[in-house]
Amino acid sequence: MIDLRALRNDPDRLRASQRARGEDEAVVDELLGLDERRRSALSTFESLRAEQKSFGKSVSKAQGEERQKLLDRAKELAQQVKEADAEAQRLDQELQALLLTVPNLVEEGAPEGGEEDYVVLEEVGTPPAFDFEPKDHLELGERLGAIDMERGAKVSGARFFFLTGVGAQLQMALLNLAMEQAIEAGFTPMIPPVLVKPESMEGTGFLGAHASEVYRLPEDDLYLVGTSEVPLAAYHRDEIIGALPRRYVGWSSCFRREAGSYGKDTRGIIRVHQFDKVEMFSYCDPEDAHEEHLRLLNWEKQMLAKVELPYRVIDVAAGDLGTSAARKYDCEAWVPTQSRYRELTSTSNCTEFQARRLSVRFRDDEGRTRPVATLNGTLATTRWIVAILENHQQADGSVRVPEALRKYLGREVLEPVAR
RNA sequence: GGUGGAGUCGCCUAGUGGCCGAGGGCGCACGCCUCGAAAGCGUGUGAUGGGGCAACUCAUCCGUGGGUUCAAAUCCCACCUCCACCGCCA
């Protein structure tokens, strides 16, 4: 949620942000008009209510006929107060509802435009040159006895899979490596709930434009999270926290409906309904948010270096930021059989947007409460297996294990197994 | 799933229609005292929103949402959470 008071002072800032995202600018004037009417209704209610309160005092002191007279007038007042209250509440709800539809203000410097308008910030490493025909991750995974899509489909349907044998071990190795790196950097490890209440989902901004991506359990009015960002952001809901920054690293399964992606990435484990992820989450002073964002990006790059993958970093364009992010950097690893880069990590600076919805505050130097900034970034996911298998494959179908993963896997090469 | 009990300021607690416009204690902050500290004494102590350059001021908030009443922490209804016990189950 954006800051209404800041909007009053500088409506052009939101106009520019909406333009950069390719979204409606008219919402600015709707907000301002509604806010004006709400404040006027509120002040009407407040003065009536003050009158009613002092009137109530006189009633309690009066006697006999005098009391009866006052009672008649008080009854009238009560009616008026009730109406004024209802009107003020109605306008406030209308304003809140509209406010919830407005995406975060875009950070200055983010590229304008849509999905294709990203800016490449850097390319790290060199895509491997094979002197044989590289196999894709699924073929490799099946030969290694690491990935079983067929049985995934049999048991759960399309876009579900089993990680088996070294596949399961490889994922654990990867996620353990990520957890270890984060813990060393001072993050508090967390294993969060993956079913959350509507307000947690709403608070993180996932029930707006992307609501169809989210699994819902109507019987229990709970949602399955698409990322541990959701429970980690809601963790401090309705709290005033001290000692910023607070950094958490969450390990969880993630669930995505992938509605509207029919036909895209249908082969293998690139786009699936359920996967595991290690996610960094940071609460910090809004003044430090930009710096913190760059730190998260750096930790992501450290992880990518450890698994020895070639990748590039992109600055995601405003129109592709999603509801909550003010700025977003993705790291995309090279996928040899697709001859292109695919997203492995994504780090967002959500500024105070989520914290305002979730009411997570801190005390500034003057002792006033202010919303914190929240940021998140990926340290490892199941999808990384795709890039690791493909980039480190050898002519015989074996896969070289990156140095950093060896101590977890206990071997240097993953060998094909007989079916 | 069933039955019973409970939810008041950071924590503990008082409060059974108007004296609550929420009292007390703990904690915390500041001051006095002291060479310094402890103890003691004094003062202060929340959130949200509106108005104001400001000191300040007004309104709302006693788990949540409704209702009764001129007036609700207090009465009524529903829900939520926690605790205890019973049943069922991985």
Side-chain angles (χ1 to χ4, degrees), chain A residues 156-288:
Chain A
S156 300
R159 294 197 192 282
F160 285 96
F161 61 96
F162 285 77
L163 289 179
T164 58
V166 289
Q169 286 179 291
L170 180 57
Q171 169 161 306
M172 287 192 287
L174 189 60
L175 299 193
N176 275 320
L177 178 65
M179 288 299 279
E180 203 162 281
Q181 175 185 304
I183 292 166
E184 267 171 33
F187 285 73
T188 304
M190 305 278 269
I191 295 181
V194 294
L195 283 167
V196 299
K197 297 193 210 177
E199 54 263 42
S200 303
M201 218 25 132
E202 180 79 62
T204 33
F206 284 99
L207 287 187
H210 301 285
S212 64
E213 266 301 290
V214 178
Y215 283 105
R216 172 156 186 257
L217 283 74
E219 286 287 292
D220 302 284
D221 203 15
L222 290 170
Y223 293 89
L224 271 166
V225 301
T227 161
S228 55
E229 172 191 348
V230 174
L232 292 179
Y235 185 69
H236 285 302
R237 184 162 72 91
D238 291 325
E239 293 182 23
I240 298 170
I241 56 178
L244 296 173
R246 291 213 181 193
R247 300 193 180 108
Y248 299 101
V249 58
W251 175 335
S252 80
S253 292
C254 305
F255 303 87
R256 299 185 181 179
R257 294 188 63 229
E258 296 298 342
S261 66
Y262 309 109
K264 269 197 218 167
D265 300 316
T266 49
R267 188 172 159 79
I269 59 168
I270 289 194
R271 190 180 294 273
V272 290
H273 287 309
Q274 179 187 334
F275 59 92
D276 276 44
K277 181 158 68 125
V278 170
E279 174 95 340
M280 300 178 283
F281 194 91
S282 173
Y283 294 85
C284 76
D285 187 324
E287 304 292 317
D288 304 333

